[in-house]
Amino acid sequence: MTFMLMKRDWRDKMHEIIYEADTKEGKLFDVALLWLILASVVLVMLGSVKTLDSKYHAVFNITEWAITILFTIEYICRIVCIKKPWSYIFSFYGLIDFFSTIPKYISLFFIGSSGALLAFRSLRLLRIFRILKLGTYVGESMKLKRALYASRTKILVFLFAIVILCTILGTVMFLVEDDAAGFTSIPRSIYWAVVTMTTVGYGDIAPQTVLGQFIASIVMILGYGIIAIPTGIVSSEITRQSLNKDDIKTVSCVNCSAENHSRNAIFCYKCGANLSS
Amino acid sequence: MTFMLMKRDWRDKMHEIIYEADTKEGKLFDVALLWLILASVVLVMLGSVKTLDSKYHAVFNITEWAITILFTIEYICRIVCIKKPWSYIFSFYGLIDFFSTIPKYISLFFIGSSGALLAFRSLRLLRIFRILKLGTYVGESMKLKRALYASRTKILVFLFAIVILCTILGTVMFLVEDDAAGFTSIPRSIYWAVVTMTTVGYGDIAPQTVLGQFIASIVMILGYGIIAIPTGIVSSEITRQSLNKDDIKTVSCVNCSAENHSRNAIFCYKCGANLSS
Amino acid sequence: MTFMLMKRDWRDKMHEIIYEADTKEGKLFDVALLWLILASVVLVMLGSVKTLDSKYHAVFNITEWAITILFTIEYICRIVCIKKPWSYIFSFYGLIDFFSTIPKYISLFFIGSSGALLAFRSLRLLRIFRILKLGTYVGESMKLKRALYASRTKILVFLFAIVILCTILGTVMFLVEDDAAGFTSIPRSIYWAVVTMTTVGYGDIAPQTVLGQFIASIVMILGYGIIAIPTGIVSSEITRQSLNKDDIKTVSCVNCSAENHSRNAIFCYKCGANLSS
Amino acid sequence: MTFMLMKRDWRDKMHEIIYEADTKEGKLFDVALLWLILASVVLVMLGSVKTLDSKYHAVFNITEWAITILFTIEYICRIVCIKKPWSYIFSFYGLIDFFSTIPKYISLFFIGSSGALLAFRSLRLLRIFRILKLGTYVGESMKLKRALYASRTKILVFLFAIVILCTILGTVMFLVEDDAAGFTSIPRSIYWAVVTMTTVGYGDIAPQTVLGQFIASIVMILGYGIIAIPTGIVSSEITRQSLNKDDIKTVSCVNCSAENHSRNAIFCYKCGANLSS
């Protein structure tokens, strides 16, 4: 029984370190993990550069194995110290942990085609968000998320209109321009419409005829003006939130029931009654 | 007479299914139509890709005929079950229905030049808006439309100024740069000015001389700054709309039933009656 | 004396037609002038297209002479019917009228180098603004101008910071990248910095080294973020103007001196006193 | 002792001229310095243009020596007339003054590799900010800085999300596209993602496969929409600042001297005293 208790204690301690950031050890673990993830992602990137890979292949391979083993240990620890292991394993972060660790082991068996597989390790980057959930920037990112969430229907309507518009404009340009300018099919013309509408403008496909350039000019001015819409939506939402939340008390005066008292008000601005009474 | 009544009933039922979305059948019909339109548009797109068309020409042709016949039946039904057929036929959606269905039939007679004609079938995409009129996103898209409508004169003034500015800048660049850089005529130089001002920047026409690049830099910074104007217009309009909604009491005066009282109003601004009584 | 009076009358009538838009004839004159200007500008544009010019040179020349003579008559009329001719001649629009009419006459003497000279005729486009001054869109464009004027110091500070930033970033890129990538001199590198910062991105000059691409990425994200500043400035200014001007009465209550009454308020929202008393 | 006093006086006078702008001489000194800096920066730029440098090398060299000597004198004066020379020498502007003056002297000893070194002289541009600190645009730039400072956490969260997003999208594109399209390594693909997301769009790397173009389209629309976020953040911050200024009484309470009373406040929100008494 004492052994069971001890084990429980040990697992509780580990759970605190790995899953929470309140204790000193928990914070240290998070910071260490953060750097390990960043190091591992940088390694994946450098490994994809052919000239570097051919030179330092052995170094990359050994470091990657070391990191993979560390992540494997972390993965096992996470399963061991949690009460409901299965709910972790099939959670969003559980799946990311698994699929970003496994590729290196698979590469032992399939040597040839492992390149694409290894890029899966970039998924580790998503793990950073788990660590940051416990960080200090949560408040602000929550505000942003709330603003985006509040205006999600407006944004969806906007995106939908953009997609329809690009499809129609792409089809029109397919009819107007010929193959030489790069408008070889309707999907490719739609791709051009998106590139132009969003003001990216690669230039790999560009209208050559006068009529095509005229239509393209309209598309550009349209795209240039349309950007005002999402900006306006989000601006207005953030303005409203910050005006409501930051400056105005939710308490109304008990005497005259006036509202919209500024945050640091003690007395009602209308009748002079004490607000906290 | 009973036959007449029965016929009327049958046509009323059909009208309800096709033109409205309140009943279960009406919704089902709308969803089925939505998918059929999407499938047909995807088909038009794939058919424009030469490699796919040469391989699966027969499949595309048969599917397209099937869809065209379904749309023809729908078109006939719409005419049959409506009370004023002519007002439907010459309405916006009536014309779209007609011109997006007819090309396939015409292609029977003119085999050679039917390519351009068939692209008209993309117009079917516009029919999606008819279906969505009955959908749930109407409220939000109405708000957007109202904000755009309220700021239409400001936006027109802005667009007009952009067009004038691009014309003058294009002419200046035509004088400064020579043909080698792509500035072969004034319309082409204006096209360049639009491409640059809207920050699209294809790069097919780009200034080569020092003076040209200096003017281009000014155009770019101008264009970069000018985008603030439509954004500001729409932002402010949406902000005002959403602020109004928040700052205005939902209570209407019991005496004169005036609405839109500001939040902290005690007396009606129209008749002076006490609002809380 | 009657002749003098008659003459005065005749000149007054002409002044009314040419300079004002209140009478029916004045409006007609403005509309006719508007179309003539547009036609003349389109002619200048088409004349710059080499293929068209070689084909229709005679047509263009004759039409241009007709338009030039009409503008000359208008110019003489403007001088004749105004009381202080010199103040008109040296006014902004007076100079534009002169310099956009004279090139055709000069081209009689200097046949060879008249190409550049003739492009001066595009200046006629600026005359459109004179006509529109009398139009209906003045109110809105005034609001825009006021918003821009109110935020001019903020915008100047911003533009100044952009120029400094582009100069420093251009110099840095000149050191990092070599000539092959197009960074042949500091002014050219600054041009690149402007092209990148404003998100235009022609692609005629683009970083090739890893360090250069890294710095370029930072420049891009910077430029992408920085656009928020002018937008924010103008947005806020327009929002403030429309909130102040449209919704709020400038009158304060004579009884309790409460302010911010909504536009259509008759009674004070605070004490119920009549606002118009 | 009189000599000491005289010397002190002389140094005080110089300090006033060099470090302050209240007196007539101080302003003159600042304006002269401003033009000298601009001239010197233009010289650095022109010197980097190879064709100009080979022609006017001697002129550039002599002018540069003249400017360098003037800046050296200024640097010595600054040290001499300040009370704590070391705190100036190691201050931000002290270091810039030193490192933008020294390269010309170093170029005497190392003739070959001085090109890169000389570009350091562009740092002089930063000295403009010191002069402008004393200028008239300070108020507005302070407002901008305050707005940016107030929204710094939101902007950091946003930039962080952009970097993560670009990394993941870059990796995905590296897997989807092959080397021919320019996606040769993950860092290069991330560079492409930044170029696309920020709507710069050079076009030196562009997707070629259908899947790649489809993903790219999503990236573009994403980037096009995401720009709404920083814009919204800054807009809302500037709006709030300018609204606060308008909605707040300039009167402070006579009883407790609290400030920032809202416009229609009658009683002090802090002590309850009547504000109008």
Side-chain angles (χ1 to χ4, degrees), chain C residues 193-219:
Chain C
V194 173
V195 169
T196 303
M197 190 74 117
T198 57
T199 76
V200 171
Y202 283 136
D204 50 350
I205 313 168
Q208 300 298 334
T209 64
V210 173
L211 184 59
Q213 291 182 343
F214 183 74
I215 295 172
S217 297
I218 292 170
V219 175

PDB file of all heavy atoms in Angstrom, chain C residues 193-219:
ATOM      1  N   ALA C 193      14.025  48.189 -51.454  1.00  0.00           N
ATOM      2  CA  ALA C 193      13.425  48.252 -50.117  1.00  0.00           C
ATOM      3  C   ALA C 193      12.021  48.845 -50.187  1.00  0.00           C
ATOM      4  O   ALA C 193      11.100  48.345 -49.532  1.00  0.00           O
ATOM      5  CB  ALA C 193      14.300  49.066 -49.174  1.00  0.00           C
ATOM      6  N   VAL C 194      11.850  49.900 -51.018  1.00  0.00           N
ATOM      7  CA  VAL C 194      10.522  50.507 -51.166  1.00  0.00           C
ATOM      8  C   VAL C 194       9.568  49.505 -51.806  1.00  0.00           C
ATOM      9  O   VAL C 194       8.439  49.307 -51.339  1.00  0.00           O
ATOM     10  CB  VAL C 194      10.593  51.811 -51.991  1.00  0.00           C
ATOM     11  CG1 VAL C 194       9.202  52.340 -52.291  1.00  0.00           C
ATOM     12  CG2 VAL C 194      11.398  52.865 -51.257  1.00  0.00           C
ATOM     13  N   VAL C 195      10.029  48.850 -52.885  1.00  0.00           N
ATOM     14  CA  VAL C 195       9.204  47.858 -53.595  1.00  0.00           C
ATOM     15  C   VAL C 195       8.749  46.753 -52.643  1.00  0.00           C
ATOM     16  O   VAL C 195       7.609  46.290 -52.705  1.00  0.00           O
ATOM     17  CB  VAL C 195       9.984  47.254 -54.791  1.00  0.00           C
ATOM     18  CG1 VAL C 195       9.260  46.047 -55.349  1.00  0.00           C
ATOM     19  CG2 VAL C 195      10.187  48.291 -55.879  1.00  0.00           C
ATOM     20  N   THR C 196       9.639  46.339 -51.745  1.00  0.00           N
ATOM     21  CA  THR C 196       9.325  45.244 -50.831  1.00  0.00           C
ATOM     22  C   THR C 196       8.460  45.711 -49.670  1.00  0.00           C
ATOM     23  O   THR C 196       7.462  45.084 -49.329  1.00  0.00           O
ATOM     24  CB  THR C 196      10.623  44.620 -50.307  1.00  0.00           C
ATOM     25  OG1 THR C 196      11.387  44.191 -51.412  1.00  0.00           O
ATOM     26  CG2 THR C 196      10.340  43.442 -49.393  1.00  0.00           C
ATOM     27  N   MET C 197       8.856  46.823 -49.064  1.00  0.00           N
ATOM     28  CA  MET C 197       8.160  47.365 -47.888  1.00  0.00           C
ATOM     29  C   MET C 197       6.697  47.655 -48.188  1.00  0.00           C
ATOM     30  O   MET C 197       5.832  47.429 -47.343  1.00  0.00           O
ATOM     31  CB  MET C 197       8.860  48.663 -47.478  1.00  0.00           C
ATOM     32  CG  MET C 197       8.400  49.202 -46.162  1.00  0.00           C
ATOM     33  SD  MET C 197       9.068  48.206 -44.852  1.00  0.00           S
ATOM     34  CE  MET C 197      10.082  49.421 -44.045  1.00  0.00           C
ATOM     35  N   THR C 198       6.432  48.184 -49.399  1.00  0.00           N
ATOM     36  CA  THR C 198       5.052  48.518 -49.753  1.00  0.00           C
ATOM     37  C   THR C 198       4.297  47.312 -50.299  1.00  0.00           C
ATOM     38  O   THR C 198       3.188  47.453 -50.796  1.00  0.00           O
ATOM     39  CB  THR C 198       5.023  49.633 -50.809  1.00  0.00           C
ATOM     40  OG1 THR C 198       5.780  49.181 -51.944  1.00  0.00           O
ATOM     41  CG2 THR C 198       5.653  50.910 -50.298  1.00  0.00           C
ATOM     42  N   THR C 199       4.896  46.130 -50.217  1.00  0.00           N
ATOM     43  CA  THR C 199       4.312  44.860 -50.673  1.00  0.00           C
ATOM     44  C   THR C 199       3.980  44.862 -52.165  1.00  0.00           C
ATOM     45  O   THR C 199       3.125  44.093 -52.589  1.00  0.00           O
ATOM     46  CB  THR C 199       3.053  44.466 -49.873  1.00  0.00           C
ATOM     47  OG1 THR C 199       1.958  45.263 -50.299  1.00  0.00           O
ATOM     48  CG2 THR C 199       3.228  44.613 -48.400  1.00  0.00           C
ATOM     49  N   VAL C 200       4.661  45.705 -52.947  1.00  0.00           N
ATOM     50  CA  VAL C 200       4.454  45.661 -54.394  1.00  0.00           C
ATOM     51  C   VAL C 200       5.158  44.425 -54.963  1.00  0.00           C
ATOM     52  O   VAL C 200       4.528  43.596 -55.615  1.00  0.00           O
ATOM     53  CB  VAL C 200       4.969  46.950 -55.076  1.00  0.00           C
ATOM     54  CG1 VAL C 200       4.963  46.807 -56.585  1.00  0.00           C
ATOM     55  CG2 VAL C 200       4.115  48.126 -54.669  1.00  0.00           C
ATOM     56  N   GLY C 201       6.455  44.286 -54.730  1.00  0.00           N
ATOM     57  CA  GLY C 201       7.183  43.064 -55.088  1.00  0.00           C
ATOM     58  C   GLY C 201       7.230  42.763 -56.557  1.00  0.00           C
ATOM     59  O   GLY C 201       6.646  41.772 -56.994  1.00  0.00           O
ATOM     60  N   TYR C 202       7.938  43.599 -57.357  1.00  0.00           N
ATOM     61  CA  TYR C 202       8.064  43.313 -58.782  1.00  0.00           C
ATOM     62  C   TYR C 202       8.787  41.990 -59.027  1.00  0.00           C
ATOM     63  O   TYR C 202       8.377  41.198 -59.858  1.00  0.00           O
ATOM     64  CB  TYR C 202       8.869  44.418 -59.479  1.00  0.00           C
ATOM     65  CG  TYR C 202       8.096  45.663 -59.714  1.00  0.00           C
ATOM     66  CD1 TYR C 202       8.649  46.899 -59.449  1.00  0.00           C
ATOM     67  CD2 TYR C 202       6.805  45.607 -60.203  1.00  0.00           C
ATOM     68  CE1 TYR C 202       7.937  48.056 -59.678  1.00  0.00           C
ATOM     69  CE2 TYR C 202       6.091  46.764 -60.425  1.00  0.00           C
ATOM     70  CZ  TYR C 202       6.664  47.986 -60.165  1.00  0.00           C
ATOM     71  OH  TYR C 202       5.954  49.113 -60.381  1.00  0.00           O
ATOM     72  N   GLY C 203       9.901  41.786 -58.321  1.00  0.00           N
ATOM     73  CA  GLY C 203      10.693  40.582 -58.551  1.00  0.00           C
ATOM     74  C   GLY C 203      11.838  40.813 -59.510  1.00  0.00           C
ATOM     75  O   GLY C 203      12.576  39.876 -59.815  1.00  0.00           O
ATOM     76  N   ASP C 204      12.009  42.061 -60.040  1.00  0.00           N
ATOM     77  CA  ASP C 204      13.161  42.310 -60.912  1.00  0.00           C
ATOM     78  C   ASP C 204      14.457  42.338 -60.105  1.00  0.00           C
ATOM     79  O   ASP C 204      15.506  41.974 -60.602  1.00  0.00           O
ATOM     80  CB  ASP C 204      12.984  43.608 -61.727  1.00  0.00           C
ATOM     81  CG  ASP C 204      12.594  44.798 -60.860  1.00  0.00           C
ATOM     82  OD1 ASP C 204      12.287  44.580 -59.673  1.00  0.00           O
ATOM     83  OD2 ASP C 204      12.585  45.925 -61.354  1.00  0.00           O
ATOM     84  N   ILE C 205      14.371  42.763 -58.850  1.00  0.00           N
ATOM     85  CA  ILE C 205      15.495  42.655 -57.920  1.00  0.00           C
ATOM     86  C   ILE C 205      15.003  41.802 -56.764  1.00  0.00           C
ATOM     87  O   ILE C 205      13.974  42.141 -56.150  1.00  0.00           O
ATOM     88  CB  ILE C 205      15.938  44.038 -57.371  1.00  0.00           C
ATOM     89  CG1 ILE C 205      16.061  45.055 -58.508  1.00  0.00           C
ATOM     90  CG2 ILE C 205      17.230  43.938 -56.592  1.00  0.00           C
ATOM     91  CD1 ILE C 205      16.203  46.489 -58.010  1.00  0.00           C
ATOM     92  N   ALA C 206      15.669  40.694 -56.473  1.00  0.00           N
ATOM     93  CA  ALA C 206      15.232  39.818 -55.388  1.00  0.00           C
ATOM     94  C   ALA C 206      16.458  39.181 -54.744  1.00  0.00           C
ATOM     95  O   ALA C 206      17.396  38.804 -55.441  1.00  0.00           O
ATOM     96  CB  ALA C 206      14.289  38.741 -55.909  1.00  0.00           C
ATOM     97  N   PRO C 207      16.470  39.096 -53.406  1.00  0.00           N
ATOM     98  CA  PRO C 207      17.641  38.541 -52.710  1.00  0.00           C
ATOM     99  C   PRO C 207      17.889  37.085 -53.087  1.00  0.00           C
ATOM    100  O   PRO C 207      16.945  36.323 -53.277  1.00  0.00           O
ATOM    101  CB  PRO C 207      17.263  38.669 -51.235  1.00  0.00           C
ATOM    102  CG  PRO C 207      15.780  38.763 -51.219  1.00  0.00           C
ATOM    103  CD  PRO C 207      15.402  39.447 -52.477  1.00  0.00           C
ATOM    104  N   GLN C 208      19.166  36.710 -53.184  1.00  0.00           N
ATOM    105  CA  GLN C 208      19.531  35.331 -53.560  1.00  0.00           C
ATOM    106  C   GLN C 208      20.203  34.570 -52.424  1.00  0.00           C
ATOM    107  O   GLN C 208      20.086  33.363 -52.340  1.00  0.00           O
ATOM    108  CB  GLN C 208      20.475  35.352 -54.777  1.00  0.00           C
ATOM    109  CG  GLN C 208      19.872  36.007 -56.005  1.00  0.00           C
ATOM    110  CD  GLN C 208      18.655  35.301 -56.529  1.00  0.00           C
ATOM    111  OE1 GLN C 208      18.499  34.107 -56.323  1.00  0.00           O
ATOM    112  NE2 GLN C 208      17.763  36.019 -57.186  1.00  0.00           N
ATOM    113  N   THR C 209      20.933  35.272 -51.566  1.00  0.00           N
ATOM    114  CA  THR C 209      21.623  34.582 -50.467  1.00  0.00           C
ATOM    115  C   THR C 209      20.647  34.310 -49.332  1.00  0.00           C
ATOM    116  O   THR C 209      19.582  34.926 -49.249  1.00  0.00           O
ATOM    117  CB  THR C 209      22.766  35.453 -49.926  1.00  0.00           C
ATOM    118  OG1 THR C 209      22.201  36.636 -49.365  1.00  0.00           O
ATOM    119  CG2 THR C 209      23.741  35.841 -51.026  1.00  0.00           C
ATOM    120  N   VAL C 210      21.023  33.372 -48.471  1.00  0.00           N
ATOM    121  CA  VAL C 210      20.167  33.005 -47.346  1.00  0.00           C
ATOM    122  C   VAL C 210      19.999  34.193 -46.403  1.00  0.00           C
ATOM    123  O   VAL C 210      18.881  34.518 -45.991  1.00  0.00           O
ATOM    124  CB  VAL C 210      20.752  31.784 -46.602  1.00  0.00           C
ATOM    125  CG1 VAL C 210      19.949  31.509 -45.336  1.00  0.00           C
ATOM    126  CG2 VAL C 210      20.751  30.576 -47.506  1.00  0.00           C
ATOM    127  N   LEU C 211      21.121  34.883 -46.081  1.00  0.00           N
ATOM    128  CA  LEU C 211      21.049  36.030 -45.172  1.00  0.00           C
ATOM    129  C   LEU C 211      20.151  37.130 -45.765  1.00  0.00           C
ATOM    130  O   LEU C 211      19.309  37.707 -45.065  1.00  0.00           O
ATOM    131  CB  LEU C 211      22.459  36.584 -44.907  1.00  0.00           C
ATOM    132  CG  LEU C 211      22.524  37.733 -43.895  1.00  0.00           C
ATOM    133  CD1 LEU C 211      21.961  37.315 -42.554  1.00  0.00           C
ATOM    134  CD2 LEU C 211      23.948  38.242 -43.738  1.00  0.00           C
ATOM    135  N   GLY C 212      20.338  37.372 -47.073  1.00  0.00           N
ATOM    136  CA  GLY C 212      19.526  38.390 -47.746  1.00  0.00           C
ATOM    137  C   GLY C 212      18.055  38.054 -47.681  1.00  0.00           C
ATOM    138  O   GLY C 212      17.219  38.922 -47.432  1.00  0.00           O
ATOM    139  N   GLN C 213      17.718  36.773 -47.906  1.00  0.00           N
ATOM    140  CA  GLN C 213      16.309  36.365 -47.870  1.00  0.00           C
ATOM    141  C   GLN C 213      15.751  36.472 -46.464  1.00  0.00           C
ATOM    142  O   GLN C 213      14.577  36.785 -46.277  1.00  0.00           O
ATOM    143  CB  GLN C 213      16.173  34.944 -48.413  1.00  0.00           C
ATOM    144  CG  GLN C 213      16.458  34.882 -49.912  1.00  0.00           C
ATOM    145  CD  GLN C 213      16.289  33.511 -50.498  1.00  0.00           C
ATOM    146  OE1 GLN C 213      16.258  32.520 -49.772  1.00  0.00           O
ATOM    147  NE2 GLN C 213      16.176  33.435 -51.806  1.00  0.00           N
ATOM    148  N   PHE C 214      16.619  36.227 -45.468  1.00  0.00           N
ATOM    149  CA  PHE C 214      16.186  36.335 -44.077  1.00  0.00           C
ATOM    150  C   PHE C 214      15.851  37.789 -43.750  1.00  0.00           C
ATOM    151  O   PHE C 214      14.783  38.088 -43.195  1.00  0.00           O
ATOM    152  CB  PHE C 214      17.284  35.814 -43.146  1.00  0.00           C
ATOM    153  CG  PHE C 214      16.892  35.818 -41.709  1.00  0.00           C
ATOM    154  CD1 PHE C 214      16.001  34.882 -41.219  1.00  0.00           C
ATOM    155  CD2 PHE C 214      17.397  36.772 -40.841  1.00  0.00           C
ATOM    156  CE1 PHE C 214      15.623  34.894 -39.881  1.00  0.00           C
ATOM    157  CE2 PHE C 214      17.023  36.785 -39.503  1.00  0.00           C
ATOM    158  CZ  PHE C 214      16.130  35.845 -39.026  1.00  0.00           C
ATOM    159  N   ILE C 215      16.776  38.704 -44.125  1.00  0.00           N
ATOM    160  CA  ILE C 215      16.525  40.131 -43.880  1.00  0.00           C
ATOM    161  C   ILE C 215      15.277  40.577 -44.657  1.00  0.00           C
ATOM    162  O   ILE C 215      14.419  41.289 -44.127  1.00  0.00           O
ATOM    163  CB  ILE C 215      17.749  40.983 -44.280  1.00  0.00           C
ATOM    164  CG1 ILE C 215      18.939  40.633 -43.379  1.00  0.00           C
ATOM    165  CG2 ILE C 215      17.436  42.467 -44.184  1.00  0.00           C
ATOM    166  CD1 ILE C 215      20.247  41.258 -43.802  1.00  0.00           C
ATOM    167  N   ALA C 216      15.158  40.116 -45.917  1.00  0.00           N
ATOM    168  CA  ALA C 216      13.999  40.470 -46.738  1.00  0.00           C
ATOM    169  C   ALA C 216      12.703  40.028 -46.070  1.00  0.00           C
ATOM    170  O   ALA C 216      11.703  40.755 -46.078  1.00  0.00           O
ATOM    171  CB  ALA C 216      14.116  39.855 -48.121  1.00  0.00           C
ATOM    172  N   SER C 217      12.714  38.824 -45.466  1.00  0.00           N
ATOM    173  CA  SER C 217      11.515  38.328 -44.783  1.00  0.00           C
ATOM    174  C   SER C 217      11.111  39.278 -43.670  1.00  0.00           C
ATOM    175  O   SER C 217       9.926  39.583 -43.481  1.00  0.00           O
ATOM    176  CB  SER C 217      11.771  36.932 -44.198  1.00  0.00           C
ATOM    177  OG  SER C 217      12.031  36.022 -45.224  1.00  0.00           O
ATOM    178  N   ILE C 218      12.122  39.760 -42.918  1.00  0.00           N
ATOM    179  CA  ILE C 218      11.832  40.694 -41.828  1.00  0.00           C
ATOM    180  C   ILE C 218      11.250  41.987 -42.399  1.00  0.00           C
ATOM    181  O   ILE C 218      10.257  42.517 -41.877  1.00  0.00           O
ATOM    182  CB  ILE C 218      13.108  40.964 -41.006  1.00  0.00           C
ATOM    183  CG1 ILE C 218      13.500  39.694 -40.264  1.00  0.00           C
ATOM    184  CG2 ILE C 218      12.893  42.112 -40.033  1.00  0.00           C
ATOM    185  CD1 ILE C 218      14.849  39.762 -39.615  1.00  0.00           C
ATOM    186  N   VAL C 219      11.860  42.485 -43.498  1.00  0.00           N
ATOM    187  CA  VAL C 219      11.356  43.711 -44.144  1.00  0.00           C
ATOM    188  C   VAL C 219       9.894  43.538 -44.545  1.00  0.00           C
ATOM    189  O   VAL C 219       9.057  44.407 -44.324  1.00  0.00           O
ATOM    190  CB  VAL C 219      12.210  44.066 -45.384  1.00  0.00           C
ATOM    191  CG1 VAL C 219      11.604  45.259 -46.120  1.00  0.00           C
ATOM    192  CG2 VAL C 219      13.637  44.379 -44.984  1.00  0.00           C
TER     193      VAL C 219
END
